[in-house]
Amino acid sequence: MNIQSRLTADNLSRDEIVTWLREENPTKLEVLWQAADECRRQSVGDEVHLRGLVEISNHCIRSCAYCGIRFDNKNITRYRMNNDEIFDCVKQAVEFGYGTVVLQAGEDLGLSKENIAALVTRIKKETPLAVTLSLGERDVEELSYWKKAGADRYLLRFETSNEALYKNIHPQRPNKTESISRIDLLKEIKRLGYETGSGVLIGIPGQSYDDLARDLELFRELDLDMIGVGPFIPHPDTPLGNGAENNIVPLSPESQVPNSELMTYKVVALSRLVCPRANIPSTTALATLNLSEGRELGLLRGANVLMPNLTPSQYRVHYEIYPDKACIREDAREYHDRLKFRIEAIGRKIGTGQGSAIGFSHK
Ligand code: 5AD
């Protein structure tokens, strides 16, 4: 079998995945880009679905070693939007014709079960939008309550499938010694009937090529509806960004995955091949590495979703999970005005409707 037909066969082995992750030859990589683009076209079509992202709170009880909004970072201003402010952003998503609103926050227990449910109920009652929640590791009971209130989708990246590395960069939640693993929580989220999204960071110190290939296999095993991947971008106020002590054993340069733009495209393309029908965004972290064409190149190499940021600018600057986020300089309306042109310039069209994962049946 030639490489091209192997690549469309949706059965890449771990060794083949590693080989592609290590590939640097632009002519050979062109084969990967084309296979991913063709797979995207055949499986999910030419529509680019738009999800309006609202970062509703940057409070967080966790202290993940890479993340700028970690609890231990005392250098940021914390905010929590109220429901009226959030609803103004939701209305903007409707006005712009987006099919989905994504409510994202740190793991903020100040966002109560009842309050989120009330918000979801109101959005579902007053708008045609799908609602995606991305609020961290919450109790199964809360997740179930929000599903019943009408939430459609849940995003929770597992960040890395390497358990030792995961443990190193995700200290336990305070006062909670027994907690369900993130992977098991994702399975619960699926079981509750959510369209389920996950993903990883690319180029975490200590992440090997084999780890990343295993991540891609896990996307396939979990049969994810949505996959978001992006490069690790060091934040100076975090242990992984300021060279502070951590327990990660450094890998040799040959084993360590780089947190590069090129590596991100490879992972986007391979994600498409392992999960042909998933919704895959071209992420802001990618645009941060290449502001002029990162988003488009992601869309041309497997992605089919964009997540324009609708967070009001006075809050947006404080949702600094990593520095120089591409969207900080963007105005929601200006960005929206250019979007149609940019999408059509690469031969695609703006999606209509909610843009649910193909094949997903709501229970
Ligand atoms: N660089 C890149 N992505 C990051 N995230 C958190 N911190 C960083 C960082 N320093 C990502 C995580 C999280 C998502 C919301 O943002 O993968 O799941």
Side-chain angles (χ1 to χ4, degrees):
M1 219 191 291
N2 67 27
I3 309 173
Q4 191 111 36
S5 53
R6 276 293 294 150
L7 263 177
T8 49
D10 173 31
N11 58 0
L12 290 166
S13 70
R14 184 161 339 167
D15 283 351
E16 287 170 310
I17 295 176
V18 169
T19 304
W20 277 115
L21 292 173
R22 288 187 172 280
E23 186 59 66
E24 299 274 328
N25 179 323
T27 314
K28 290 199 180 147
L29 282 172
E30 203 50 52
V31 175
L32 177 62
W33 310 146
Q34 284 185 17
D37 196 43
E38 183 56 22
C39 178
R40 185 271 310 154
R41 198 182 61 75
Q42 283 183 16
S43 313
V44 295
D46 283 337
E47 292 197 335
V48 174
H49 297 292
L50 305 177
R51 326 295 202 195
L53 176 65
V54 191
E55 295 152 333
I56 63 176
S57 160
N58 71 351
H59 287 267
C60 192
I61 55 166
R62 306 294 289 268
S63 270
C64 303
Y66 47 84
C67 183
I69 66 169
R70 66 202 304 271
F71 178 80
D72 286 340
N73 183 8
K74 305 297 178 208
N75 292 336
I76 58 167
T77 306
R78 302 282 172 176
Y79 72 87
R80 184 180 296 124
M81 291 169 67
N82 68 38
N83 284 6
D84 288 338
E85 290 173 314
I86 298 170
F87 210 77
D88 283 343
C89 299
V90 171
K91 282 194 271 197
Q92 194 163 42
V94 176
E95 186 199 327
F96 289 166
Y98 301 165
T100 301
V101 67
V102 182
L103 306 181
Q104 187 170 81
E107 214 165 289
D108 176 12
L109 301 186
L111 295 171
S112 73
K113 177 177 95 170
E114 292 76 16
N115 187 48
I116 294 295
L119 197 56
V120 171
T121 307
R122 180 166 174 210
I123 298 172
K124 296 305 290 185
K125 194 164 148 240
E126 296 181 27
T127 81
L129 299 176
V131 176
T132 303
L133 299 178
S134 180
L135 305 174
E137 294 178 37
R138 301 290 297 237
D139 290 343
V140 174
E141 201 264 323
E142 296 176 303
L143 295 164
S144 167
Y145 193 77
W146 298 334
K147 185 79 194 65
K148 289 192 189 115
D152 301 280
R153 311 180 185 142
Y154 205 89
L155 297 177
L156 182 70
R157 289 189 182 176
F158 63 77
E159 315 292 1
T160 172
S161 58
N162 175 332
E163 268 179 59
L165 179 59
Y166 182 86
K167 271 209 173 114
N168 259 323
I169 60 180
H170 295 92
Q172 273 286 350
R173 181 166 151 176
N175 309 321
K176 208 168 186 192
T177 41
E178 282 298 303
S179 62
I180 156 173
S181 81
R182 223 177 237 222
I183 309 275
D184 285 343
L185 189 55
L186 278 167
K187 292 180 182 162
E188 284 293 328
I189 290 169
K190 254 196 126 155
R191 196 184 55 77
L192 289 170
Y194 282 102
E195 271 181 71
T196 304
S198 194
V200 295
L201 284 167
I202 298 162
I204 312 164
Q207 183 185 46
S208 70
Y209 283 87
D210 207 52
D211 292 335
L212 191 51
R214 172 76 194 110
D215 295 345
L216 283 148
E217 288 186 315
L218 192 52
F219 293 168
R220 181 162 53 195
E221 278 163 44
L222 290 169
D223 189 22
L224 296 174
D225 304 301
M226 304 172 280
I227 300 171
V229 298
F232 158 66
I233 300 174
H235 188 302
D237 293 325
T238 65
L240 278 194
N242 64 14
E245 275 297 298
N246 58 54
N247 297 320
I248 296 172
V249 184
L251 297 174
S252 66
E254 304 82 68
S255 308
Q256 170 66 48
V257 171
N259 57 342
S260 64
E261 185 186 348
L262 184 64
M263 187 58 66
T264 306
Y265 297 130
K266 292 185 213 175
V267 180
V268 168
L270 291 163
S271 298
R272 171 60 63 203
L273 293 170
V274 297
C275 291
R277 294 187 306 190
N279 281 322
I280 301 180
S282 187
T283 55
T284 304
L286 187 50
T288 300
L289 296 193
N290 181 347
L291 197 56
S292 60
E293 53 180 6
R295 281 200 183 89
E296 277 86 349
L297 284 172
L299 288 174
L300 290 169
R301 294 169 176 178
N304 70 321
V305 167
L306 289 177
M307 299 174 70
N309 197 312
L310 298 180
T311 314
S313 51
Q314 77 269 26
Y315 296 129
R316 201 188 296 191
V317 289
H318 300 304
Y319 203 84
E320 201 192 46
I321 48 187
Y322 50 83
D324 293 323
K325 264 169 77 186
C327 61
I328 295 290
R329 286 159 273 177
E330 285 163 359
D331 170 78
R333 190 169 294 274
E334 263 172 41
Y335 180 78
H336 174 72
D337 289 344
R338 284 198 323 265
L339 203 55
K340 189 165 182 291
F341 174 79
R342 286 178 76 166
I343 290 174
E344 287 174 358
I346 56 166
R348 306 277 277 278
K349 53 186 180 224
I350 291 185
T352 51
Q354 295 186 340
S356 290
I358 310 263
F360 182 87
S361 65
H362 286 271
K363 291 163 201 126

